[in-house]
Amino acid sequence: MGKLNVSMLRYLSSEEFRVLTAVEMGMKNHELVPTPLIASIADLKHGGSHKILRELTKHKLVCYEKSGRVEGYRLTFSGYDYLALKALTTRGSVQSVGNQIGVGKESDIYIIADEEDKQHALKLHRLGRTSFRKLKEKRDYLKHRKNVSWLYLSRLAAVKEYAYMKALHDNGYPVPRPIDFNRHALVMELVDGHPLCQVHDVADPSALYSELMELIVRLGSYGLIHCDFNEFNLMINDSDKVTVIDFPQMVSISHLNAQWYFDRDVQCIRDFFLRRFSYESELYPRFADVKRLHNLDVEVAASGFTRDMSDSFDEAAADFKTSASSDKDQEDNEERDSSPGQELEQDESEDDDDSVEDNPMEAHSPEHSVSNEQQNMD
Ligand code: ADP
Ligand code: MG
């Protein structure tokens, strides 16, 4: 599953990197980037883009496709990983990539070391892993969208997650410390402990239950609802310290369906405690109990992605998540995280998928920029 070929980082020549970057840039306006356009963007001294494209194809960083009269290259997830890692490496946030520690349908998590040899977690968002065609058949609104880009959405997930993580961390909420991001890749503090779904004994279930309910209410006081506050996204260490993870789907407490999301988060915890620890309590927070004390929802939205970006993300993400709410399916498979989009068919190979409409460079256009400086290719 972990298709992260880090050794490639060392072996790509500067000309190959130039051509790979040219493909990414070409995808701003083309689903499949024609070879002459790549050659012109890359502007290699002695020509030679063809040979390099063949090399990049062999390493699965780009993929050649022909559909009707349109033919050309597109970036693969591996190619996108490469570009993000290259940028993170250049600025010292990533020095080496180690073991994969988590895998969901929407992300891959690796341990990495920075240039000072400190370990962190790297989350690569993968909203495009499910079959795009299948999704299109099912989802009406997608049929009319020519430019739903799953690479773009993967990047958006990283941007959104970074923004919320930073705001929460700055306010002392127990989340991993965000360190850096580029494209769809986010570097954060490596959390000590295990997801709650893997924990079968806790010293005091009632104390943990209260703590989690307080965390939901406290998040509400910041103006936010997690929307996936469950045993898969709560990390517990040996002293039962809790860290909350996984934020791309977070919504504002002013959201139209805020109460529904809030109640669902609360119910997930109640259900889990009953199932796992036979613990039940009549005490649990109601949406009406939430007192807004901060406006992190507003601040994050204002500081970050435009409303438009946020909407297109939420729309697609909601789609994945609805099919996922039943983490119950996962009881037998608790080594893994909850993976929204269960019913969607997963492609065998990322290079066989239907994501010809991926358009990662859309994420780099100025009107969508969250922080230009974060996106520049080094
Ligand atoms: P997804 O969106 O795919 O659910 P998560 O952010 O929930 O991704 O991460 C998936 C899994 O990876 C988690 O359940 C956890 O086991 C592990 N993980 C994620 N972030 C960290 C971290 N910062 N430190 C340690 N493990 C992590
Ligand atoms: Mg998760």
Side-chain angles (χ1 to χ4, degrees), residues 272-310:
F272 176 74
F273 271 71
L274 182 59
R275 238 170 29 237
R276 180 63 58 88
F277 306 118
S278 304
Y279 177 84
E280 213 174 349
S281 170
E282 281 312 304
L283 291 177
Y284 59 91
R286 322 289 156 119
F287 186 64
D289 301 337
V290 175
K291 290 201 176 48
R292 186 195 267 276
L293 303 171
H294 302 273
N295 300 309
L296 292 192
D297 51 340
V298 180
E299 285 165 32
V300 167
S303 74
F305 38 95
T306 64
R307 172 124 204 112
D308 203 39
M309 251 177 135
S310 177

Side-chain angles (χ1 to χ4, degrees), residues 1 101-108 129 195 197-198 230-233 327 330-340 342 346:
M1 184 72 77
I101 49 172
V103 59
K105 273 241 171 70
E106 293 180 310
S107 79
D108 288 320
R129 200 138 65 181
C197 60
Q198 293 171 12
N230 57 45
E231 64 272 27
F232 301 98
N233 294 322
D327 285 325
Q330 298 237 345
E331 280 288 79
D332 302 329
N333 184 17
E334 294 192 341
E335 296 306 301
R336 292 187 38 170
D337 197 321
S338 82
S339 337
Q342 295 289 315
Q346 185 157 2

Side-chain angles (χ1 to χ4, degrees), residues 67-119:
S67 94
R69 284 186 300 140
V70 189
E71 60 184 301
Y73 290 86
R74 66 175 175 87
L75 201 62
T76 63
F77 261 109
S78 298
Y80 205 44
D81 290 349
Y82 183 93
L83 290 168
L85 278 166
K86 172 91 175 169
L88 291 168
T89 306
T90 306
R91 49 187 194 235
S93 302
V94 175
Q95 176 74 40
S96 61
V97 179
N99 289 337
Q100 184 163 9
I101 49 172
V103 59
K105 273 241 171 70
E106 293 180 310
S107 79
D108 288 320
I109 317 274
Y110 293 84
I111 295 188
I112 58 112
D114 66 13
E115 57 185 2
E116 280 154 14
D117 227 22
K118 282 208 215 59
Q119 293 201 331

Side-chain angles (χ1 to χ4, degrees), residues 103-104 106-107 109 123 161 173-176 191 194-198 212 215 219 226-236 242-249 264-265 268-269 272 321 324 327 334 336-340:
V103 59
E106 293 180 310
S107 79
I109 317 274
K123 180 169 180 177
E161 183 150 64
Y173 195 78
V175 298
V191 177
H194 302 280
L196 182 57
C197 60
Q198 293 171 12
L212 296 179
L215 283 173
L219 203 53
H226 188 288
C227 292
D228 216 357
F229 198 97
N230 57 45
E231 64 272 27
F232 301 98
N233 294 322
L234 294 162
M235 307 280 289
I236 313 283
V242 178
T243 307
V244 185
I245 61 166
D246 202 2
F247 317 106
Q249 68 291 322
R264 191 180 61 176
D265 278 357
C268 275
I269 297 302
F272 176 74
K321 298 277 176 187
D327 285 325
E334 294 192 341
R336 292 187 38 170
D337 197 321
S338 82
S339 337

Side-chain angles (χ1 to χ4, degrees), residues 23-33 74-75 80 132 146-155 355-365 368:
V23 176
E24 186 190 38
M25 291 171 104
M27 287 183 75
K28 184 171 181 173
N29 301 311
H30 298 79
E31 288 160 13
L32 294 172
V33 193
R74 66 175 175 87
L75 201 62
Y80 205 44
F132 188 69
K146 238 194 152 309
N147 276 322
V148 173
S149 155
W150 295 106
L151 286 180
Y152 165 69
L153 288 171
S154 294
R155 178 186 166 271
S355 52
V356 283
E357 309 201 17
D358 282 355
N359 188 357
M361 278 307 288
E362 208 169 277
H364 299 268
S365 61
H368 290 311

Side-chain angles (χ1 to χ4, degrees), residues 8 23 35 41 49 90 97 122 125 130 136 160 208 214 216 228 237 242 244 263 269-270 326 338 350 361 364:
M8 279 301 298
V23 176
T35 313
I41 298 173
S49 296
T90 306
V97 179
L122 170 76
H125 285 270
T130 36
K136 259 193 149 176
K160 201 174 166 186
L208 182 60
E214 275 163 27
I216 294 178
D228 216 357
N237 75 2
V242 178
V244 185
D263 290 345
I269 297 302
R270 299 189 74 206
S326 46
S338 82
E350 65 183 5
M361 278 307 288
H364 299 268

